[in-house]
Amino acid sequence: MFRIGAHVSISGGVAKAVDREREVGGNCGQIFVGSPRGWAVSEVDEDDADAFVEAAGAQDVGPWIVHGTYLVNLATPKDDLAAKSLDTVQAELDAAAALDIPYYVFHPGAHTGAGEETGIQNVGERLSELDVPAGVTLLLENTAGKGTTVGTHFADLDQMVAVSAHDYDDLGVCLDTCHLYAAGYDFTTEAGMAEMIEDLDATIGVENVHYLHLNDSKHPLGSEKDEHEHLGEGEIGEEGFRRFINHAALREKPMVLETPEDEKGYAWNVEKARELRDEE
Ligand SMILES: [Zn+2]
Ligand SMILES: [Zn+2]
């Protein structure tokens, strides 16, 4: 079954996220468990968690994924920032477990001048310090390559996993289409898509990609800029998404939207994704 949803708010209680998902026509979804631009992670209330699990099960909305705060930086050369980041990632992982959510995704961070190799090494070593709860897979998100961010290429993400004491049982990858395109992966052509899947297979392995972020890109191929656009209205375009959404290696994976929250909204984008999806 096509699993498509959007990033929704948990305000008023996590169970409300399930209703919000249904309102935009989604059947899986993503949430934050704290402020996306703060360090604090909300304590998960047990009744609230029960209500969420029950609502998600009853309405068949899932799998869910928790997105980590944007402040986290495991690539940093600064030990204090790394320590703070690890505390927050651990709290977010624990919140995912408390909510029975199988995936947690975060952006690896930026090396801020220490060098890309050092940044990748830092992420790998710090991942080792995390206790990944049973039932949760920690996903690294590919980045657009802006500034000194690390994790732009498949081999870089694979290297982080190789360095860490964890393996692909606990870790995995979430691919964002806007970031892929901005990083220079042109999956909009048949040859480009074949090359990208080949690269994926030679590094991370397609089976270790557990979730997909569907966002069009405001900026051209290889621009390294991270600005999302509505599906089909950016540089990737409708045909690019048709190719991505239906590809045999990707079509069974759950997909969530992080498109602009303007008057079009998520409902329009969920509808667009369904329109581009070929019959099973
Ligand atoms: Zn993200
Ligand atoms: Zn982005």
Side-chain angles (χ1 to χ4, degrees):
M1 192 208 282
F2 186 25
R3 287 286 167 181
I4 174 79
H7 184 101
V8 292
S9 159
I10 60 165
S11 82
V14 198
K16 292 243 167 76
V18 180
D19 300 331
R20 290 190 179 106
E21 203 60 65
R22 293 302 299 257
E23 274 163 32
V24 300
N27 60 4
C28 65
Q30 177 174 274
I31 56 169
F32 289 124
V33 288
S35 158
R37 297 183 198 283
W39 292 104
V41 177
S42 331
E43 194 77 43
V44 177
D45 174 83
E46 223 176 288
D47 291 341
D48 202 19
D50 288 346
F52 169 75
V53 171
E54 202 188 302
Q59 302 193 62
D60 188 25
V61 179
W64 286 82
I65 181 166
V66 168
H67 196 300
T69 166
Y70 295 123
L71 298 183
V72 160
N73 185 354
L74 295 190
T76 180
K78 296 180 191 149
D79 288 335
D80 53 340
L81 177 56
K84 221 168 164 179
S85 296
L86 281 171
D87 283 348
T88 293
V89 171
Q90 188 64 60
E92 290 173 328
L93 279 168
D94 294 341
L99 292 166
D100 237 341
I101 291 181
Y103 302 111
Y104 165 78
V105 61
F106 80 110
H107 301 180
H111 66 72
T112 60
E116 194 175 14
E117 240 174 274
T118 304
I120 291 168
Q121 185 76 19
N122 283 346
V123 175
E125 284 172 8
R126 286 161 182 158
L127 283 173
S128 307
E129 295 177 39
L130 292 166
D131 175 19
V132 182
V136 180
T137 308
L138 187 160
L139 309 183
L140 303 166
E141 181 169 345
N142 69 305
T143 57
K146 189 176 149 215
T148 66
T149 53
V150 297
T152 308
H153 298 107
F154 301 154
D156 304 337
L157 296 167
D158 189 46
Q159 180 65 15
M160 292 170 194
V161 176
V163 168
S164 97
H166 297 286
D167 52 26
Y168 280 115
D169 287 337
D170 289 329
L171 307 179
V173 166
C174 170
L175 292 179
D176 181 306
T177 51
C178 170
H179 304 175
L180 283 172
Y181 197 73
Y185 289 101
D186 188 7
F187 54 84
T188 65
T189 67
E190 193 179 342
M193 176 59 106
E195 200 182 318
M196 185 178 89
I197 297 295
E198 214 174 285
D199 185 359
L200 201 50
D201 259 332
T203 52
I204 297 159
V206 167
E207 70 280 11
N208 295 313
V209 175
H210 295 276
Y211 227 106
L212 302 168
H213 283 168
L214 286 189
N215 301 304
D216 209 329
S217 171
K218 277 200 200 311
H219 302 283
L221 181 70
S223 62
E224 298 189 343
K225 287 188 184 151
D226 180 9
E227 248 191 296
H228 301 177
E229 183 53 282
H230 297 294
L231 294 197
E233 300 201 336
E235 297 281 331
I236 295 172
E238 282 198 5
E239 291 317 304
F241 277 102
R242 195 190 298 279
R243 192 180 296 285
F244 192 92
I245 289 172
N246 293 301
H247 192 280
L250 305 171
R251 60 182 286 129
E252 298 304 323
K253 303 184 191 294
M255 309 183 192
V256 284
L257 299 151
E258 297 166 325
T259 44
E261 291 190 74
D262 52 24
E263 66 285 346
K264 258 199 179 106
Y266 285 134
W268 185 91
N269 284 278
V270 168
E271 186 58 38
K272 175 62 69 181
R274 291 194 193 279
E275 226 177 87
L276 296 172
R277 178 81 166 189
D278 296 336
E279 296 291 315
E280 307 284 318

